[in-house]
Amino acid sequence: MPKAKNPFTYGGRVAGETFCNRQKEIKELLSDIMARQHVILFSQRRFGKTSLVWRVLSEARKNGVIPVYVDLYPVSSLAEFIELYAKAIAEALSGYEKAMKLLKGLFSRLYLSMGLDAMGNPQWNVGFDRNRESESLDEVLTTFEAYLKRTKKAGVVVFDEFQQISETNGNKMEARLRTAIQTHEHVSYIFVGSRKHLLQDIFSNPNRPFYRSGKIFPLGKISSEDFASFIRERFGSAKMAISDEAVNAVLEETEAHPYYTQYLCHILYDIAEASRVQKEDIPKALNLLISREATAYMNTWDLLTLRQRQALVSLAETNAGESPFRPEALQRFGMSQPAVMMRALNSLLEKDLVDKENGNYQITDVFFKRWIRIYISQAPTLG
């Protein structure tokens, strides 16, 4: 008899039964939305921010709030921002207004058209005069608020990967957006980002337009207790048991990181030969996972400078409570001063390979760290 569908999902948005808990965060964010509170939500990459936001938007919709979701990750120009935001507004309102009414009345400077995507589903298209970007930007920034005011409704706008806004005309774009948002009374805004150092600079730098313009909401890890229950429940839903020792070992190996925990459990389910997963199965799953990622890790490694590689090895070998600036680590790599290590770590922060939390540096990808320990750490070419 073939196995049931794998109960663990990774690599995309997680929803439904594959979404793990976060009830406290959902309740708090929903309360912020209802109070028209702007929120800055950030965490490491692959921490489940987008999945959480979509769950919150679903709850907000049930409470009569119109949600608009805008993924800014692909945006690199002002024109792309205008088109993407206008399209998101049109798509959100199409559930509340007839298409013809939106086509005729939503925008005055921008124009909408309706087409079909590759799957034959309706799709909004947006156009505007590229010689009048400034006026078009003003319109797209005020349209949703104007609609809500006219219809006496409430709304929420999520700008995912908001740090990309810096790529669309720098401080000038931020200033225009901030000026519009601070006058809105019917919309709450949630600014989401995974490049923490960039997002924090936007909202914590006194010289930036968005300085202190929202509630800071760092997304932490899911508690080990909640995650352990989730793992047991998901295996159980596929008629497979997992020992408590195996659950604890999974969370230890993945450091309870949402993405990597789901990834390892996904592989454990695939390779399980019986109806129960034991702690002894985990090394095999880890080896398979590392082998799948090895090419990507090697490609990343090849693009790094010698100092960056040395800093990563130092972090990979650093135990809890130890500093990468400890004298023996600096001496091993011939770094005469801590500033040399600091420069390397800061450059890795820019590449999102390293995260800094409460003054402590750590490699963001727990399996990349494991790969470094296994294949690189003892390599003689690093010194």
Side-chain angles (χ1 to χ4, degrees):
M1 183 177 178
K3 280 185 179 180
K5 180 182 176 182
N6 196 306
F8 296 96
T9 302
Y10 68 95
R13 199 171 82 219
V14 176
E17 293 179 346
T18 58
F19 182 84
C20 179
N21 201 282
R22 296 286 193 192
Q23 293 305 311
K24 180 175 178 288
E25 292 90 343
I26 292 171
K27 182 178 180 181
E28 184 173 348
L29 286 170
L30 184 59
S31 176
D32 290 332
I33 290 172
M34 303 307 294
R36 310 290 192 274
Q37 171 68 55
H38 304 329
V39 179
I40 300 100
L41 175 66
F42 62 87
S43 74
Q44 292 181 20
R45 294 175 58 220
R46 297 173 170 174
F47 238 55
K49 296 180 297 299
T50 300
S51 297
L52 171 62
V53 163
W54 276 96
R55 175 64 69 90
V56 171
L57 293 185
S58 176
E59 295 299 318
R61 188 181 290 108
K62 295 175 185 176
N63 284 269
V65 178
I66 301 177
V68 175
Y69 174 83
V70 191
D71 182 4
L72 296 179
Y73 185 76
V75 171
S76 60
S77 69
L78 180 57
E80 289 175 340
F81 174 84
I82 293 170
E83 291 178 1
L84 201 62
Y85 192 14
K87 182 178 178 180
I89 293 171
E91 289 175 346
L93 296 185
S94 61
Y96 300 84
E97 302 285 353
K98 292 182 179 180
M100 288 305 298
K101 186 175 181 181
L102 289 178
L103 285 169
K104 292 180 179 179
L106 188 58
F107 298 110
S108 59
R109 294 188 179 279
L110 288 80
Y111 54 89
L112 295 172
S113 62
M114 179 71 78
L116 299 175
D117 63 17
M119 302 299 293
N121 300 312
Q123 175 178 274
W124 288 102
N125 298 305
V126 177
F128 63 93
D129 185 349
R130 297 302 178 95
N131 294 317
R132 310 194 70 173
E133 277 189 348
S134 182
E135 293 91 336
S136 298
L137 174 62
D138 288 339
E139 181 172 62
V140 79
L141 292 179
T142 57
T143 292
F144 189 45
E145 165 70 13
Y147 173 87
L148 296 172
K149 183 176 181 180
R150 185 173 68 252
T151 57
K152 295 180 171 58
K153 296 180 185 294
V156 54
V157 173
V158 173
F159 287 120
D160 206 348
E161 299 298 346
F162 184 71
Q163 68 277 345
Q164 286 297 117
I165 206 72
S166 299
E167 304 294 327
T168 64
N169 209 12
N171 269 22
K172 186 178 292 186
M173 174 59 183
E174 290 179 37
R176 296 284 288 280
L177 184 55
R178 173 70 176 125
T179 298
I181 286 174
Q182 66 184 0
T183 66
H184 294 174
E185 299 177 353
H186 299 77
V187 190
S188 62
Y189 290 86
I190 301 179
F191 307 97
V192 183
S194 54
R195 302 192 70 185
K196 291 169 55 178
H197 62 290
L198 295 180
L199 199 69
Q200 288 173 324
D201 186 59
I202 291 173
F203 292 96
S204 300
N205 186 337
N207 298 316
R208 301 286 288 268
F210 273 96
Y211 176 61
R212 291 188 175 179
S213 58
K215 168 185 172 180
I216 301 296
F217 195 116
L219 185 63
K221 290 183 177 180
I222 299 169
S223 73
S224 295
E225 293 79 10
D226 287 338
F227 229 151
S229 297
F230 171 79
I231 291 170
R232 284 190 286 268
E233 289 171 3
R234 294 309 297 152
F235 273 111
S237 72
K239 311 300 182 185
M240 186 175 290
I242 181 170
S243 70
D244 289 342
E245 293 79 8
V247 171
N248 292 336
V250 165
L251 293 174
E252 182 179 353
E253 294 291 349
T254 63
E255 301 176 14
H257 189 296
Y259 172 86
Y260 302 112
T261 300
Q262 294 252 26
Y263 191 175
L264 183 57
C265 286
H266 185 98
I267 293 179
L268 274 171
Y269 180 81
D270 278 348
I271 67 174
E273 297 178 353
S275 58
R276 184 175 180 82
V277 175
Q278 302 285 359
K279 182 178 180 181
E280 293 74 25
D281 298 319
I282 293 176
K284 180 181 177 182
L286 282 169
N287 289 337
L288 179 56
L289 189 156
I290 295 297
S291 69
R292 289 179 179 178
E293 299 296 321
T295 299
Y297 291 154
M298 182 58 76
N299 289 339
T300 297
W301 189 259
D302 287 344
L303 295 174
L304 300 176
T305 67
L306 177 62
R307 287 304 193 199
Q308 289 168 343
R309 294 178 183 182
Q310 291 170 338
L312 284 174
V313 170
S314 181
L315 282 183
E317 295 178 345
T318 298
N319 298 315
E322 290 184 337
S323 167
F325 304 103
R326 59 193 185 278
E328 58 269 29
L330 299 178
Q331 185 177 27
R332 176 186 173 187
F333 298 119
M335 297 183 182
S336 57
Q337 298 179 5
V340 179
M341 177 68 79
M342 179 71 78
R343 285 194 293 271
L345 290 172
N346 286 339
S347 67
L348 292 169
L349 275 172
E350 292 292 330
K351 294 178 178 293
D352 289 326
L353 295 175
V354 165
D355 184 43
K356 186 180 181 182
E357 190 74 40
N358 298 322
N360 298 315
Y361 293 89
Q362 59 182 328
I363 299 172
T364 55
D365 186 332
V366 297
F367 296 133
F368 187 34
K369 178 167 65 177
R370 186 182 184 89
W371 178 84
I372 292 171
R373 284 176 173 171
I374 295 172
Y375 297 103
I376 305 296
S377 185
Q378 301 304 316
T381 57
L382 286 168

